[in-house]
């Protein structure tokens, strides 16, 4: 089934927000893959807006990126006030292999 122009525009907008947040956190696609449970190719498609997203994927990505889910749907650029900060005693990401 072909996606509508509006659906594609939203996919691109959400993907751009995800890419921007990932980069602002200094995470690679591989890092985000480990944190979110999505594969690198899937994340690449999401960031380019060429993948239809499930809600569960969006939730996993927002948690991994430490941002609120609604932020990914906002038309404006990411704002530090709209993202969650780690707890004061929390270090960086745990990217160690299990």
């Amino acid at each position: 089934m072909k996606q509508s122009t509006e659906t594609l525009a939203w996919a691109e907008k959400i993907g751009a927000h995800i890419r921007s947040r990932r980069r602002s956190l200094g995470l690679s696609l591989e890092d985000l893959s480990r944190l979110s449970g999505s594969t690198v190719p899937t994340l690449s498609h999401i960031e380019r807006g060429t993948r239809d997203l499930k809600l569960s994927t969006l939730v996993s990505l927002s948690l991994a990126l430490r941002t609120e889910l609604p932020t990914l749907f906002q038309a404006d650029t990411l704002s530090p006030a709209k993202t969650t900060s780690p707890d004061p005693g929390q270090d960086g990401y745990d990217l160690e292999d299990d």
Side-chain angles (χ1 to χ4, degrees):
M1 174 186 247
K2 186 175 180 181
Q3 292 184 343
S4 71
T5 303
E6 187 173 314
T7 301
L8 291 172
W10 272 105
E12 289 174 3
K13 191 179 308 183
I14 292 168
H17 276 99
I18 290 169
R19 179 185 301 113
S20 175
R21 180 66 178 157
R22 175 180 62 79
R23 288 179 175 170
S24 74
L25 292 170
L27 297 173
S28 67
L29 282 172
E30 292 80 9
D31 295 336
L32 185 55
S33 173
R34 285 185 287 199
L35 292 166
S36 69
S38 295
T39 66
V40 170
T42 295
L43 292 171
S44 180
H45 281 286
I46 289 169
E47 288 188 355
R48 290 192 323 264
T50 60
R51 173 66 54 102
D52 199 8
L53 289 159
K54 296 188 308 184
L55 179 58
S56 59
T57 303
L58 283 170
V59 169
S60 295
L61 288 171
S62 69
L63 291 171
L65 294 169
R66 298 178 177 167
T67 190
E68 296 178 9
L69 183 60
T71 301
L72 300 178
F73 293 91
Q74 294 174 347
D76 58 344
T77 59
L78 286 174
S79 165
K82 297 175 186 169
T83 59
T84 57
S85 300
D87 294 329
Q90 183 179 2
D91 291 328
Y93 289 97
D94 179 12
L95 297 173
E96 297 297 318
D97 291 332
D98 292 330

